[in-house]
Amino acid sequence: MTFHSACLRILKQESSHLEGYDRNFTIYDSGDQEQVIKEILRPMNLDDKQHSPKTYLNWISKQKSNLKLPPARYIPMGNDWEELAPLVYQRYQAAMQQSNAMDFDDLLLQTVLLFKRKPDVLAKYQERFQYIMVDEYQDTNHIQYVFVSMLAQKYKNICVVGDDDQSIYGFRQADIRNILDFERDFPGAKVIRLEQNYRSTGRILEAANEVVANNRERKPKTLWTKNPQGEKILCFHAESDREEAEFVAGRI
């Protein structure tokens, strides 16, 4: 399952333990979420360009991904979006609960909060998921890490697959420390390096190894292949994205 589908299933099965929601809660998509934010901002008479609903939603998503709840009380000191963001988060979450609705971040947040409030519920799912495997672990965020760690806490039968050199989703709150610190979080873990590459030529791998070796935080590894050495690499510096696309299309 994906993280979200697993959490949705758990929340539906444990709906009697939810705070502020009942079993028939709905899931809002991005359009629904933007509409909620617009209704919150409308009475404030703010400039739409400086106070985009997406800006607030991205900020709220980051808070939830880091297990940060809205403040119980908050008085903004100005009208900058950064000052208003905690207030908007507070009103957004209240409006969502009033509508018996969750967003995708809530699925993870409410599951982790449920596990923290109800150790017996957590124990139940630790028994159900005695063996856990997570793919693309380098792209997990903090709350996904907490969710998996709580489930694996009892039996510690957890296998994660990932490559710290391929972590590109920091803008979605992916935390590369999750994979870099795996052996610290799970002492005794065995690391198996899958260094043979079946897709690329030797020159491509040589270039990739040279570039990625400059990363400050990474697990040491050297990719290799039995494939031919291949053609020399061509470096083309485009002046724009359009010129780059035309060059690639022309080469193809």
Side-chain angles (χ1 to χ4, degrees), residues 11-246:
L11 292 175
K12 287 292 186 180
Q13 290 177 350
E14 308 299 332
S15 57
S16 61
H17 298 299
L18 296 181
E19 292 185 354
Y21 301 93
D22 63 39
R23 193 183 195 289
N24 298 316
F25 66 83
T26 55
I27 302 173
Y28 277 10
D29 61 19
S30 57
D32 298 322
Q33 291 175 262
E34 284 191 38
Q35 190 58 42
V36 174
I37 296 292
K38 287 178 181 178
E39 291 174 5
I40 293 170
L41 296 179
R42 191 171 292 122
M44 298 182 184
N45 296 318
L46 301 169
D47 184 354
D48 291 345
K49 292 182 180 178
Q50 295 182 359
H51 297 271
S52 164
K54 288 184 178 179
T55 300
Y56 285 102
L57 287 172
N58 288 337
W59 188 88
I60 291 171
S61 177
K62 187 173 182 178
Q63 301 306 299
K64 292 182 178 182
S65 295
N66 286 288
L67 267 175
K68 294 181 180 178
L69 300 174
R73 292 183 180 180
Y74 179 79
I75 300 176
M77 303 301 291
N79 280 336
D80 293 338
W81 81 264
E82 293 96 335
E83 281 288 331
L84 292 175
L87 178 65
V88 173
Y89 182 17
Q90 181 190 78
R91 293 180 177 178
Y92 170 82
Q93 207 61 15
M96 294 288 283
Q97 287 193 348
Q98 189 174 3
S99 300
N100 196 32
M102 295 188 191
D103 57 31
F104 284 102
D105 293 311
D106 281 324
L107 297 177
L108 281 150
L109 178 62
Q110 293 301 324
T111 303
V112 170
L113 293 177
L114 172 63
F115 284 170
K116 288 178 177 289
R117 285 197 317 268
K118 300 286 184 180
D120 55 325
V121 174
L122 171 59
K124 171 183 173 181
Y125 287 95
Q126 286 174 336
E127 292 298 326
R128 182 172 297 183
F129 298 109
Q130 294 184 20
Y131 295 86
I132 298 170
M133 178 175 170
V134 186
D135 196 13
E136 302 291 0
Y137 194 67
Q138 78 278 355
D139 292 329
T140 54
N141 60 27
H142 178 67
I143 198 168
Q144 291 169 336
Y145 159 79
V146 172
F147 171 69
V148 168
S149 297
M150 293 178 83
L151 283 178
Q153 200 171 50
K154 183 174 182 179
Y155 292 103
K156 295 181 171 58
N157 294 322
I158 178 168
C159 171
V160 303
V161 183
D163 182 359
D164 50 305
D165 289 334
Q166 295 187 48
S167 181
I168 60 172
Y169 288 110
F171 66 95
R172 291 186 190 169
Q173 289 80 60
D175 188 352
I176 195 173
R177 301 303 320 176
N178 294 350
I179 193 166
L180 292 177
D181 295 340
F182 186 80
E183 295 98 309
R184 184 203 67 186
D185 296 334
F186 296 95
K190 182 178 181 181
V191 178
I192 302 171
R193 288 182 172 82
L194 306 177
E195 296 177 306
Q196 183 174 2
N197 181 291
Y198 300 91
R199 179 182 298 170
S200 304
T201 62
R203 290 191 192 274
I204 292 292
L205 290 184
E206 287 173 9
N209 285 329
E210 288 292 329
V211 171
V212 81
N214 292 288
N215 286 356
R216 289 187 298 274
E217 294 184 292
R218 64 186 295 266
K219 293 182 180 292
K221 67 187 80 69
T222 303
L223 301 184
W224 61 276
T225 184
K226 289 183 178 179
N227 290 342
Q229 185 69 354
E231 298 179 24
K232 290 185 177 181
I233 294 173
L234 171 68
C235 181
F236 173 74
H237 181 81
E239 296 297 327
S240 67
D241 55 346
R242 179 174 292 276
E243 185 181 354
E244 180 183 337
E246 288 174 347

